[in-house]
Amino acid sequence: MASKKGLGKGLGALIKENPDASEEVLISQGLGLHSVQVSKGGRPANVPACIEVDAEGGLWCDVDILKPNPKQPRVDFNARQMEELSDSIKQNGILQPIIIEPIEGKDNAFYIIAGERRTRAAKMAGLSKVPVQLRKFDEQQKLEYALIENIQRADLNPIEEATAYYNLIQMGDLSQDEVAKRVGKNRSTVANAIRLLKLPDDIQKSLASGQISAGHARALLMVKTDSDMRILYGKIVGSGLSVREAEALAESYNNGGRAAAKKSEKKKTRKDPDIALFEQELRNLFGVKDVDFKGDTSKGSIEIKFSSKADFDRIYNVLLGDK
């Protein structure tokens, strides 16, 4: 097993080493571990033949027979973070074993219960085998374990986290309080997360992608009518409202504040989303807060407002700096 040097400490590192004693290989049932004694370099009978046992009692598995956890709450894997993790694995190896379980009815196939990112990054790094722990879970435990691992690493986007909480409640017939205790969160955290699933699908996608924040999403949930929610969402995306500004507008809409300004806001709420995005790009380009596009792409005008000499100089340099 010399080729695996540096790929991780395996399970032998998790127990106290004693060269005069037999080595322990950890196998588990459910969420609890139990151990079996094997002689140094020996092999426990309940480890599948396709899994290698090294001289230290560590278990190693071919990455190609590992399949994603069907209850994995995470859907998106950030490409840059995956590259960084792959580089780290090339340099330092996998320091924590991948937790796996046999796929019922299939030989030489296992579900990844915890460690899918590490497994993907190991493949990117060119590793053929990874250190593993072998366990057995029921359906609820698969979801619970994967959820807890991802939450501990702050790896889920808000919608993935909310969906995982909801699935735990439905699958285990649990209360929000019970779910909160299992994952080590406050009940209010779980409740506020699940509320995000009440948002329309497109706004959920916007939240999952990071276009809007969880604070913006909660401000949208404050709004009592769907039409006002849509108007507020357009302003958040098109004008780059802060969370505080969004909350203030939500409260204003609920108190009838929009009725007085209905005529003046009518055109703004109907603005083409592409034009609203173009305005935001111009704000970013010139470093100003107010850019107004009037008309359409065939005829109109663009008004750039500035409030200081520094603003003027910056706009001048962007437009004519190369001349």
Side-chain angles (χ1 to χ4, degrees):
M1 301 293 292
S3 63
K4 297 189 187 75
K5 186 176 181 181
L7 295 185
K9 299 179 181 179
L11 298 181
L14 303 179
I15 53 180
K16 188 174 181 180
E17 292 191 12
N18 182 349
D20 298 323
S22 61
E23 189 76 357
E24 284 189 325
V25 176
L26 298 183
I27 311 297
S28 70
Q29 184 70 27
L31 292 178
L33 288 169
H34 71 272
S35 62
V36 292
Q37 296 286 335
V38 294
S39 60
K40 201 78 167 179
R43 180 182 188 85
N46 52 353
V47 173
C50 60
I51 293 181
E52 297 180 18
V53 181
D54 65 23
E56 296 181 342
L59 306 183
W60 296 83
C61 185
D62 188 331
V63 292
D64 290 330
I65 63 175
L66 300 182
K67 310 300 180 185
N69 177 1
K71 301 300 179 184
Q72 166 67 266
R74 184 180 16 185
V75 177
D76 298 320
F77 293 82
N78 182 280
R80 180 182 60 80
Q81 292 176 352
M82 290 299 297
E83 289 178 3
E84 291 175 351
L85 181 56
S86 177
D87 290 340
S88 174
I89 288 174
K90 287 179 184 178
Q91 186 71 27
N92 305 302
I94 297 179
L95 303 181
Q96 184 178 0
I98 311 301
I99 297 176
I100 64 174
E101 76 157 355
I103 299 178
E104 190 173 349
K106 291 187 177 182
D107 294 330
N108 301 338
F110 302 85
Y111 282 134
I112 303 166
I113 303 304
E116 185 173 346
R117 283 181 72 248
R118 279 171 282 147
T119 303
R120 287 173 177 248
K123 286 185 178 181
M124 290 172 61
L127 302 189
S128 60
K129 293 185 183 295
V130 292
V132 296
Q133 284 185 10
L134 185 61
R135 300 190 181 186
K136 182 67 178 175
F137 297 85
D138 62 29
E139 293 302 297
Q140 180 181 332
Q141 287 170 331
K142 287 178 188 177
L143 174 60
E144 189 173 333
Y145 204 100
L147 173 61
I148 292 171
E149 185 205 32
N150 282 297
I151 287 176
Q152 287 174 342
R153 288 176 166 79
D155 240 349
L156 300 179
N157 68 52
I159 295 301
E160 290 172 337
E161 185 174 346
T163 302
Y165 290 145
Y166 178 79
N167 288 341
L168 265 180
I169 288 172
Q170 297 298 309
M171 188 176 297
D173 194 22
L174 303 175
S175 67
Q176 291 184 359
D177 195 39
E178 288 171 325
V179 168
K181 288 177 181 177
R182 294 202 181 196
V183 299
K185 296 283 186 178
N186 294 325
R187 182 190 176 282
S188 59
T189 300
V190 174
N192 286 333
I194 292 175
R195 286 182 64 234
L196 299 176
L197 300 179
K198 295 180 179 180
L199 291 167
D201 288 345
D202 61 324
I203 298 181
Q204 288 189 35
K205 290 178 181 177
S206 181
L207 174 58
S209 69
Q211 186 179 28
I212 65 173
S213 70
H216 287 123
R218 287 191 287 272
L220 289 167
L221 287 168
M222 292 170 56
V223 181
K224 294 178 180 178
T225 68
D226 291 342
S227 59
D228 282 350
M229 178 187 288
R230 284 292 171 188
I231 291 171
L232 180 56
Y233 174 61
K235 286 180 176 293
I236 291 171
V237 174
S239 300
L241 296 183
S242 68
V243 172
R244 244 179 220 189
E245 289 170 334
E247 289 173 343
L249 268 180
E251 189 173 347
S252 173
Y253 290 174
N254 289 340
N255 292 328
R258 196 167 61 93
K262 210 168 197 178
K263 290 183 180 179
S264 62
E265 289 191 0
K266 190 173 182 181
K267 290 184 179 179
K268 290 185 180 180
T269 58
R270 292 183 178 178
K271 183 167 287 186
D272 186 298
D274 290 335
I275 291 177
L277 181 61
F278 179 54
E279 287 178 341
Q280 183 59 43
E281 290 174 343
L282 290 178
R283 293 187 193 98
N284 295 338
L285 177 65
F286 294 116
V288 296
K289 294 182 178 180
D290 198 352
V291 173
D292 189 24
F293 186 106
K294 296 178 180 178
D296 55 37
T297 54
S298 62
K299 183 179 181 181
S301 64
I302 300 173
E303 183 179 11
I304 304 169
K305 295 182 181 179
F306 56 92
S307 57
S308 68
K309 180 67 164 56
D311 284 349
F312 176 83
D313 290 340
R314 187 167 56 253
I315 294 169
Y316 180 91
N317 287 332
V318 171
L319 293 175
L320 303 173
D322 292 334
K323 290 190 175 183

